Amino acid sequence: VFEVSPDLEPHNVTFRLDVTAEGGTYTSYYFFSFMVGIPNFLLVDDDEWIRNSLTYFFRKKTLSFVALESAEAALKHLKHKTYDIIIYDYRLPGREGLDLFKARDVIKVLITAYDSTGIASEVIKAGVQDFIEKPFTAETIQESLSKLINKS
């Protein structure tokens, strides 16, 4: 007998395997956790408070949220891992602009403390789906991502 039962969490499954042989029936349980349908998030912002607060907020909602403080760290990280959503600060030390967004088929959200009218054309060319000005709340980011995920 092979039985699969979903747990309360949508990404957890318990498998039960019953084997009947001489001498009786043996039961084994195997628990697996996987993340089908749960987007992978990457946040790149040099502000430690933003990284920590968004990490705290989103880790309660998803298991896949990575926060990095520089574009260089993000570019190295992106060589080995893909993400569904990138949230990126427009100005980072040593790098300005939208380098992380170019040629990436992901949901793109730009956050910045600078005037959005001056960079609007650059943001559109980079394929950014949403632009959020600082200061913002975690709920603002969540609302933006919910809309974007439902669109895609």
Side-chain angles (χ1 to χ4, degrees):
V1 175
F2 180 73
E3 178 183 299
V4 178
S5 61
D7 288 343
L8 296 175
E9 295 294 320
H11 53 277
N12 296 333
V13 174
T14 302
F15 292 92
R16 185 180 117 201
L17 179 62
D18 291 336
V19 178
T20 303
E22 288 183 29
T25 299
Y26 304 93
T27 301
S28 297
Y29 291 93
Y30 302 93
F31 177 78
F32 294 93
S33 181
F34 55 93
M35 299 195 327
V36 174
I38 297 175
N40 297 313
F41 291 84
L42 175 64
L43 167 69
V44 185
D45 197 306
D46 60 324
D47 185 318
E48 183 178 13
W49 186 86
I50 289 176
R51 285 193 319 273
N52 290 343
S53 58
L54 288 179
T55 297
Y56 176 78
F57 181 80
F58 281 105
R59 284 253 170 96
K60 291 191 289 183
K61 300 178 180 310
T62 180
L63 298 176
S64 183
F65 188 90
V66 174
L68 301 171
E69 72 176 299
S70 71
E72 289 76 19
L75 289 169
K76 287 178 188 174
H77 197 76
L78 285 165
K79 288 180 182 177
H80 307 287
K81 180 142 174 73
T82 59
Y83 289 89
D84 303 305
I85 298 168
I86 298 177
I87 305 166
Y88 182 68
D89 188 8
Y90 180 70
R91 295 222 175 150
L92 293 167
R95 188 169 233 133
E96 182 178 309
L98 305 166
D99 296 351
L100 288 178
F101 288 150
K102 293 179 181 168
R104 298 206 187 274
D105 186 24
V106 299
I107 293 175
K108 304 164 190 171
V109 177
L110 185 71
I111 54 178
T112 189
Y114 299 93
D115 180 25
S116 61
T117 57
I119 61 171
S121 64
E122 188 179 357
V123 168
I124 292 167
K125 285 180 191 173
V128 172
Q129 285 96 338
D130 201 1
F131 183 89
I132 298 172
E133 292 185 4
K134 295 178 182 178
F136 57 82
T137 64
E139 288 81 9
T140 303
I141 299 280
Q142 182 179 18
E143 288 170 15
S144 168
L145 295 176
S146 292
K147 290 176 191 173
L148 295 172
I149 289 169
N150 289 332
K151 274 186 185 178
S152 60

